[in-house]
Amino acid sequence: MALCFVTRQLPGPALDQLRAAHDVEVWTERLPPPPAELRARGARADGLLTLLSDRVDAELLDHCPRLKAISNYAVGYDNIDLEAATSRGIRVGNTPEVLTDATADLAFALLLAAARMLPQAIESVRVGDWLTWEPGHPLGHEVHGATLGIVGLGRIGRAVAQRAQGFEMTVLHTRTSMSTGEPLELLLEQSDFVSLHCPLTPQTHHLIDRAALAQMRPNAILINTARGQIVDHAALREALTDGTIGGAALDVTDPEPLPAGHPLRSAPNLIVTPHIGSATRVARERMTQLAVDNLLAGLEDRQMPHQVNR
Ligand code: DGY
Protein backbone atom coordinates (compact mmCIF):
# COMPACT_ATOMS: atom_id res chain seq x y z
CA MET A 1 0.00 0.00 0.00
CA ALA A 2 1.23 3.41 -0.94
CA LEU A 3 0.57 6.70 0.84
CA CYS A 4 -1.13 9.42 -1.20
CA PHE A 5 -1.59 13.03 -0.26
CA VAL A 6 -4.55 14.72 -1.94
CA THR A 7 -4.29 18.48 -1.55
CA ARG A 8 -8.04 19.21 -1.48
CA GLN A 9 -11.43 17.57 -1.12
CA LEU A 10 -12.56 16.64 -4.66
CA PRO A 11 -16.10 16.26 -6.03
CA GLY A 12 -17.48 12.84 -7.00
CA PRO A 13 -16.96 9.31 -5.76
CA ALA A 14 -13.62 8.49 -7.44
CA LEU A 15 -11.45 9.17 -4.39
CA ASP A 16 -13.00 6.04 -2.85
CA GLN A 17 -11.23 3.96 -5.51
CA LEU A 18 -7.95 5.47 -4.35
CA ARG A 19 -8.84 4.77 -0.71
CA ALA A 20 -9.66 1.15 -1.58
CA ALA A 21 -6.15 0.61 -2.91
CA HIS A 22 -3.97 2.93 -0.82
CA ASP A 23 -3.68 5.04 2.31
CA VAL A 24 -5.06 8.44 1.47
CA GLU A 25 -4.67 11.72 3.33
CA VAL A 26 -6.88 14.56 2.12
CA TRP A 27 -6.30 18.24 2.95
CA THR A 28 -9.79 19.39 3.87
CA GLU A 29 -9.29 23.16 4.19
CA ARG A 30 -10.63 25.58 1.59
CA LEU A 31 -7.21 27.17 1.13
CA PRO A 32 -4.25 25.17 -0.22
CA PRO A 33 -1.81 23.50 2.18
CA PRO A 34 0.93 26.03 3.02
CA PRO A 35 4.32 25.16 1.41
CA ALA A 36 5.74 23.81 4.69
CA GLU A 37 2.73 21.51 5.11
CA LEU A 38 3.00 20.31 1.51
CA ARG A 39 6.68 19.56 2.10
CA ALA A 40 5.95 17.66 5.30
CA ARG A 41 3.16 15.59 3.72
CA GLY A 42 5.10 15.12 0.49
CA ALA A 43 8.10 13.82 2.43
CA ARG A 44 6.08 10.73 3.42
CA ALA A 45 4.04 10.32 0.24
CA ASP A 46 4.40 7.95 -2.71
CA GLY A 47 1.79 9.83 -4.68
CA LEU A 48 0.54 13.42 -4.77
CA LEU A 49 -2.77 14.61 -6.17
CA THR A 50 -2.27 18.35 -6.62
CA LEU A 51 -4.23 21.38 -7.76
CA LEU A 52 -3.08 24.26 -9.96
CA SER A 53 -2.68 26.34 -6.79
CA ASP A 54 -0.03 23.95 -5.41
CA ARG A 55 3.49 24.86 -6.50
CA VAL A 56 5.47 21.69 -7.15
CA ASP A 57 9.05 22.79 -7.77
CA ALA A 58 12.49 21.20 -7.48
CA GLU A 59 12.82 22.36 -3.88
CA LEU A 60 9.64 20.56 -2.88
CA LEU A 61 10.62 17.45 -4.83
CA ASP A 62 13.95 17.37 -2.98
CA HIS A 63 11.89 16.80 0.18
CA CYS A 64 9.91 13.93 -1.38
CA PRO A 65 12.29 10.97 -1.72
CA ARG A 66 9.51 8.37 -2.06
CA LEU A 67 7.44 10.15 -4.68
CA LYS A 68 6.57 8.10 -7.79
CA ALA A 69 3.59 9.95 -9.21
CA ILE A 70 2.05 13.41 -9.31
CA SER A 71 -1.47 13.70 -10.64
CA ASN A 72 -2.49 17.29 -11.34
CA TYR A 73 -6.21 18.09 -11.10
CA ALA A 74 -6.16 20.35 -14.19
CA VAL A 75 -5.33 20.21 -17.86
CA GLY A 76 -2.67 22.88 -17.33
CA TYR A 77 0.41 21.79 -15.40
CA ASP A 78 2.45 25.00 -15.31
CA ASN A 79 2.40 24.75 -11.49
CA ILE A 80 4.71 21.73 -11.75
CA ASP A 81 8.38 21.79 -12.64
CA LEU A 82 8.12 19.02 -15.21
CA GLU A 83 11.84 18.79 -15.83
CA ALA A 84 12.56 18.41 -12.11
CA ALA A 85 9.92 15.68 -11.81
CA THR A 86 11.11 13.86 -14.92
CA SER A 87 14.74 13.90 -13.87
CA ARG A 88 13.68 12.28 -10.58
CA GLY A 89 11.73 9.56 -12.40
CA ILE A 90 8.36 10.88 -11.21
CA ARG A 91 5.39 10.46 -13.55
CA VAL A 92 3.16 13.51 -13.97
CA GLY A 93 -0.44 13.36 -15.20
CA ASN A 94 -3.13 15.91 -16.08
CA THR A 95 -6.87 15.92 -16.83
CA PRO A 96 -7.53 16.98 -20.44
CA GLU A 97 -10.68 16.43 -22.54
CA VAL A 98 -13.17 16.07 -19.69
CA LEU A 99 -13.23 19.84 -19.13
CA THR A 100 -13.05 20.99 -22.75
CA ASP A 101 -16.76 21.74 -23.20
CA ALA A 102 -17.24 23.30 -19.78
CA THR A 103 -14.32 25.66 -20.37
CA ALA A 104 -15.39 26.51 -23.93
CA ASP A 105 -18.91 27.25 -22.63
CA LEU A 106 -17.48 29.62 -20.02
CA ALA A 107 -15.30 31.37 -22.61
CA PHE A 108 -18.40 31.92 -24.73
CA ALA A 109 -20.45 33.01 -21.72
CA LEU A 110 -17.79 35.63 -20.94
CA LEU A 111 -17.72 36.74 -24.57
CA LEU A 112 -21.49 37.25 -24.57
CA ALA A 113 -21.56 38.86 -21.14
CA ALA A 114 -18.86 41.37 -22.07
CA ALA A 115 -20.32 42.07 -25.51
CA ARG A 116 -23.84 42.67 -24.18
CA MET A 117 -22.71 44.39 -20.97
CA LEU A 118 -24.59 41.92 -18.78
CA PRO A 119 -22.86 42.84 -15.50
CA GLN A 120 -23.73 46.52 -16.01
CA ALA A 121 -27.33 45.67 -16.99
CA ILE A 122 -27.83 43.37 -14.00
CA GLU A 123 -26.33 45.95 -11.67
CA SER A 124 -28.61 48.70 -13.03
CA VAL A 125 -31.68 46.61 -12.09
CA ARG A 126 -30.21 45.78 -8.68
CA VAL A 127 -29.58 49.43 -7.78
CA GLY A 128 -32.95 50.66 -9.09
CA ASP A 129 -31.60 52.38 -12.21
CA TRP A 130 -34.08 50.65 -14.59
CA LEU A 131 -36.19 53.73 -15.20
CA THR A 132 -37.78 52.83 -18.52
CA TRP A 133 -36.97 51.23 -21.91
CA GLU A 134 -34.14 53.34 -23.24
CA PRO A 135 -33.11 53.39 -26.92
CA GLY A 136 -29.50 54.37 -26.28
CA HIS A 137 -28.54 52.67 -23.05
CA PRO A 138 -26.82 50.30 -22.58
CA LEU A 139 -25.46 49.66 -26.08
CA GLY A 140 -23.38 46.51 -26.41
CA HIS A 141 -21.59 44.90 -29.32
CA GLU A 142 -23.10 42.61 -31.94
CA VAL A 143 -21.78 39.05 -31.58
CA HIS A 144 -23.51 37.53 -34.59
CA GLY A 145 -21.30 37.83 -37.66
CA ALA A 146 -18.36 39.35 -35.75
CA THR A 147 -14.78 38.10 -36.06
CA LEU A 148 -13.37 35.91 -33.32
CA GLY A 149 -9.63 35.41 -33.01
CA ILE A 150 -8.57 32.26 -31.19
CA VAL A 151 -5.05 32.22 -29.81
CA GLY A 152 -4.17 28.55 -29.35
CA LEU A 153 -6.25 26.15 -31.38
CA GLY A 154 -6.03 23.12 -29.10
CA ARG A 155 -9.00 21.16 -27.76
CA ILE A 156 -10.60 24.11 -25.96
CA GLY A 157 -9.83 26.59 -28.75
CA ARG A 158 -11.50 24.26 -31.27
CA ALA A 159 -14.55 23.84 -29.02
CA VAL A 160 -14.88 27.64 -28.82
CA ALA A 161 -14.61 27.84 -32.63
CA GLN A 162 -17.49 25.33 -32.91
CA ARG A 163 -19.68 27.48 -30.69
CA ALA A 164 -18.79 30.54 -32.79
CA GLN A 165 -20.17 28.80 -35.88
CA GLY A 166 -23.63 28.94 -34.33
CA PHE A 167 -23.26 32.73 -34.22
CA GLU A 168 -22.05 32.80 -37.84
CA MET A 169 -18.82 34.40 -36.71
CA THR A 170 -15.68 34.55 -38.82
CA VAL A 171 -13.09 32.58 -36.91
CA LEU A 172 -9.37 33.29 -37.15
CA HIS A 173 -6.77 31.33 -35.25
CA THR A 174 -3.04 31.36 -34.71
CA ARG A 175 -0.85 28.73 -36.35
CA THR A 176 -0.55 25.30 -34.77
CA SER A 177 1.86 22.46 -35.45
CA MET A 178 -1.03 20.72 -37.26
CA SER A 179 -2.55 23.58 -39.24
CA THR A 180 -1.84 26.91 -40.83
CA GLY A 181 -3.28 30.05 -39.28
CA GLU A 182 -2.76 33.77 -38.90
CA PRO A 183 0.28 35.45 -37.41
CA LEU A 184 -0.73 36.86 -34.01
CA GLU A 185 -0.40 40.51 -35.16
CA LEU A 186 -2.84 39.98 -38.00
CA LEU A 187 -5.31 38.12 -35.80
CA LEU A 188 -5.21 40.92 -33.23
CA GLU A 189 -5.76 43.58 -35.90
CA GLN A 190 -8.71 41.80 -37.48
CA SER A 191 -10.66 40.42 -34.52
CA ASP A 192 -13.62 41.89 -32.65
CA PHE A 193 -13.11 39.29 -29.92
CA VAL A 194 -9.81 37.66 -28.99
CA SER A 195 -10.01 34.50 -26.88
CA LEU A 196 -6.88 32.97 -25.34
CA HIS A 197 -6.50 29.18 -25.23
CA CYS A 198 -2.76 28.56 -25.29
CA PRO A 199 -0.90 26.92 -22.42
CA LEU A 200 1.32 29.05 -20.18
CA THR A 201 4.94 28.52 -21.25
CA PRO A 202 8.00 30.79 -21.28
CA GLN A 203 6.97 31.66 -24.86
CA THR A 204 3.40 32.66 -23.97
CA HIS A 205 4.21 34.53 -20.74
CA HIS A 206 2.91 38.11 -21.35
CA LEU A 207 2.14 37.20 -24.96
CA ILE A 208 -0.57 39.85 -24.69
CA ASP A 209 1.54 42.82 -23.68
CA ARG A 210 1.25 46.55 -24.36
CA ALA A 211 2.30 46.15 -28.01
CA ALA A 212 -0.19 43.34 -28.59
CA LEU A 213 -3.03 45.29 -26.98
CA ALA A 214 -2.16 48.29 -29.18
CA GLN A 215 -2.68 46.06 -32.23
CA MET A 216 -6.26 45.25 -31.21
CA ARG A 217 -9.30 47.14 -32.44
CA PRO A 218 -10.59 49.95 -30.17
CA ASN A 219 -13.87 48.06 -29.65
CA ALA A 220 -12.29 44.64 -29.31
CA ILE A 221 -12.89 42.46 -26.26
CA LEU A 222 -10.20 40.19 -24.81
CA ILE A 223 -11.28 36.91 -23.18
CA ASN A 224 -8.89 34.82 -21.10
CA THR A 225 -9.84 31.41 -19.74
CA ALA A 226 -6.31 29.99 -20.05
CA ARG A 227 -3.75 31.36 -17.57
CA GLY A 228 -3.47 34.85 -16.09
CA GLN A 229 0.26 35.21 -16.79
CA ILE A 230 -0.38 35.17 -20.56
CA VAL A 231 -1.64 38.76 -20.22
CA ASP A 232 0.44 41.64 -18.87
CA HIS A 233 -2.05 43.00 -16.33
CA ALA A 234 -0.47 46.44 -15.99
CA ALA A 235 -0.69 46.87 -19.76
CA LEU A 236 -4.27 45.58 -19.76
CA ARG A 237 -5.33 48.05 -17.12
CA GLU A 238 -3.87 50.88 -19.16
CA ALA A 239 -5.52 49.63 -22.35
CA LEU A 240 -8.93 49.46 -20.63
CA THR A 241 -8.53 52.84 -19.01
CA ASP A 242 -7.41 54.74 -22.10
CA GLY A 243 -9.78 52.94 -24.47
CA THR A 244 -7.11 51.10 -26.48
CA ILE A 245 -9.51 48.13 -26.35
CA GLY A 246 -13.23 47.96 -25.60
CA GLY A 247 -13.27 45.48 -22.74
CA ALA A 248 -11.95 42.28 -21.24
CA ALA A 249 -13.36 39.24 -19.51
CA LEU A 250 -10.93 37.20 -17.44
CA ASP A 251 -11.54 33.90 -15.72
CA VAL A 252 -7.86 33.73 -14.82
CA THR A 253 -5.61 36.40 -13.35
CA ASP A 254 -2.09 36.90 -12.08
CA PRO A 255 -2.08 36.44 -9.16
CA GLU A 256 -5.15 34.44 -8.18
CA PRO A 257 -7.12 35.68 -6.43
CA LEU A 258 -6.57 39.34 -7.31
CA PRO A 259 -5.79 40.94 -3.93
CA ALA A 260 -7.97 43.78 -2.60
CA GLY A 261 -6.72 47.04 -4.03
CA HIS A 262 -5.14 45.41 -7.10
CA PRO A 263 -5.30 48.02 -9.90
CA LEU A 264 -7.15 45.65 -12.22
CA ARG A 265 -10.06 45.38 -9.79
CA SER A 266 -11.15 48.93 -10.57
CA ALA A 267 -10.48 48.86 -14.34
CA PRO A 268 -13.42 49.89 -16.53
CA ASN A 269 -15.24 47.44 -18.82
CA LEU A 270 -13.73 44.44 -17.14
CA ILE A 271 -15.39 41.22 -15.99
CA VAL A 272 -13.46 38.92 -13.67
CA THR A 273 -14.66 35.48 -12.63
CA PRO A 274 -12.82 33.30 -10.07
CA HIS A 275 -11.23 30.66 -12.36
CA ILE A 276 -14.41 28.64 -12.93
CA GLY A 277 -13.80 27.43 -16.50
CA SER A 278 -14.14 23.75 -15.59
CA ALA A 279 -16.61 24.33 -12.75
CA THR A 280 -19.54 22.12 -13.72
CA ARG A 281 -20.40 19.12 -11.57
CA VAL A 282 -19.93 16.73 -14.50
CA ALA A 283 -16.55 18.14 -15.56
CA ARG A 284 -15.15 18.31 -12.02
CA GLU A 285 -16.30 14.75 -11.17
CA ARG A 286 -14.69 13.49 -14.39
CA MET A 287 -11.53 15.37 -13.52
CA THR A 288 -11.49 13.56 -10.16
CA GLN A 289 -11.88 10.21 -11.92
CA LEU A 290 -9.11 10.96 -14.38
CA ALA A 291 -6.80 12.28 -11.67
CA VAL A 292 -7.38 9.10 -9.64
CA ASP A 293 -6.83 6.88 -12.70
CA ASN A 294 -3.56 8.70 -13.38
CA LEU A 295 -2.39 8.33 -9.80
CA LEU A 296 -3.32 4.65 -9.57
CA ALA A 297 -1.38 3.94 -12.77
CA GLY A 298 1.64 5.97 -11.67
CA LEU A 299 1.82 4.23 -8.30
CA GLU A 300 1.88 0.88 -10.10
CA ASP A 301 4.64 2.08 -12.42
CA ARG A 302 2.29 1.98 -15.38
CA GLN A 303 1.93 4.67 -18.05
CA MET A 304 -0.78 7.05 -16.86
CA PRO A 305 -3.90 7.47 -19.06
CA HIS A 306 -2.85 11.11 -19.43
CA GLN A 307 0.83 11.39 -18.65
CA VAL A 308 2.64 14.58 -19.65
CA ASN A 309 6.22 13.37 -19.23
CA ARG A 310 8.07 10.22 -20.23
C1 DGY B 1 -7.18 23.61 -15.94
O1 DGY B 1 -7.65 22.48 -15.95
O2 DGY B 1 -6.03 23.86 -16.29
C2 DGY B 1 -8.10 24.70 -15.51
O3 DGY B 1 -7.50 25.91 -15.41
C3 DGY B 1 -8.86 24.35 -14.25
O4 DGY B 1 -9.75 23.35 -14.56
Coordinates of all heavy atoms in Angstrom, one line a residue, residues 52 73-76 95 99 225-227 275 278 284 287, ligand 1:
L52 N -3.9 23.2 -9.3 CA -3.1 24.3 -10.0 C -2.6 25.3 -9.0 O -1.6 26.0 -9.3 CB -3.9 24.9 -11.1 CG -5.3 25.5 -10.8 CD1 -5.2 26.9 -10.3 CD2 -6.2 25.4 -12.0
Y73 N -4.8 18.0 -10.9 CA -6.2 18.1 -11.1 C -6.5 19.3 -12.0 O -7.1 20.3 -11.6 CB -6.9 18.2 -9.7 CG -8.4 18.2 -9.7 CD1 -9.1 17.0 -9.9 CD2 -9.1 19.3 -9.5 CE1 -10.5 17.0 -9.9 CE2 -10.5 19.3 -9.4 CZ -11.2 18.1 -9.6 OH -12.5 18.1 -9.6
A74 N -6.0 19.2 -13.2 CA -6.2 20.4 -14.2 C -5.6 19.9 -15.5 O -4.7 19.0 -15.5 CB -5.4 21.6 -13.7
V75 N -6.0 20.5 -16.6 CA -5.3 20.2 -17.9 C -4.0 20.9 -17.9 O -3.0 20.4 -18.4 CB -6.2 20.5 -19.1 CG1 -6.6 22.0 -19.1 CG2 -5.6 20.1 -20.4
G76 N -3.9 22.1 -17.4 CA -2.7 22.9 -17.3 C -1.8 22.3 -16.2 O -2.3 21.9 -15.2
T95 N -5.5 16.3 -16.6 CA -6.9 15.9 -16.8 C -7.5 16.6 -18.1 O -8.4 17.4 -17.9 CB -7.8 16.2 -15.6 OG1 -7.7 17.6 -15.3 CG2 -7.3 15.5 -14.4
L99 N -12.8 18.5 -19.5 CA -13.2 19.8 -19.1 C -13.3 20.7 -20.4 O -13.6 21.9 -20.2 CB -12.3 20.4 -18.1 CG -10.8 20.3 -18.3 CD1 -10.3 21.1 -19.5 CD2 -10.0 20.6 -17.0
T225 N -9.5 32.5 -20.6 CA -9.8 31.4 -19.7 C -8.7 30.4 -19.6 O -8.9 29.3 -19.2 CB -11.1 30.7 -20.3 OG1 -10.8 30.3 -21.7 CG2 -12.3 31.5 -20.2
A226 N -7.5 30.9 -20.0 CA -6.3 30.0 -20.0 C -5.5 30.2 -18.8 O -5.7 29.4 -17.8 CB -5.5 30.3 -21.3
R227 N -4.5 31.1 -18.8 CA -3.8 31.4 -17.6 C -3.5 32.9 -17.5 O -3.2 33.5 -18.5 CB -2.4 30.6 -17.6 CG -2.5 29.1 -17.3 CD -2.9 28.9 -15.9 NE -2.9 27.4 -15.5 CZ -4.0 26.7 -15.6 NH1 -5.2 27.2 -16.0 NH2 -4.0 25.4 -15.3
H275 N -11.8 31.9 -11.8 CA -11.2 30.7 -12.4 C -12.2 29.5 -12.3 O -11.9 28.5 -11.6 CB -9.9 30.3 -11.7 CG -9.0 29.5 -12.5 ND1 -7.6 29.5 -12.5 CD2 -9.3 28.5 -13.5 CE1 -7.1 28.7 -13.4 NE2 -8.1 28.1 -14.0
S278 N -13.7 25.2 -15.6 CA -14.1 23.8 -15.6 C -15.2 23.5 -14.5 O -15.5 22.3 -14.2 CB -12.9 22.9 -15.3 OG -12.3 23.2 -14.1
R284 N -16.0 18.5 -13.2 CA -15.2 18.3 -12.0 C -15.1 16.9 -11.5 O -14.1 16.4 -11.1 CB -15.6 19.3 -10.9 CG -15.3 20.7 -11.3 CD -13.8 21.1 -11.0 NE -13.4 22.4 -11.5 CZ -13.6 23.6 -11.0 NH1 -14.1 23.7 -9.8 NH2 -13.2 24.7 -11.6
M287 N -12.9 15.0 -13.8 CA -11.5 15.4 -13.5 C -11.0 14.5 -12.3 O -9.9 14.1 -12.3 CB -11.4 16.9 -13.2 CG -11.5 17.8 -14.4 SD -11.7 19.5 -14.0 CE -10.2 19.9 -13.3
Ligands
DGY1 C1 -7.2 23.6 -15.9 O1 -7.6 22.5 -15.9 O2 -6.0 23.9 -16.3 C2 -8.1 24.7 -15.5 O3 -7.5 25.9 -15.4 C3 -8.9 24.3 -14.2 O4 -9.7 23.4 -14.6

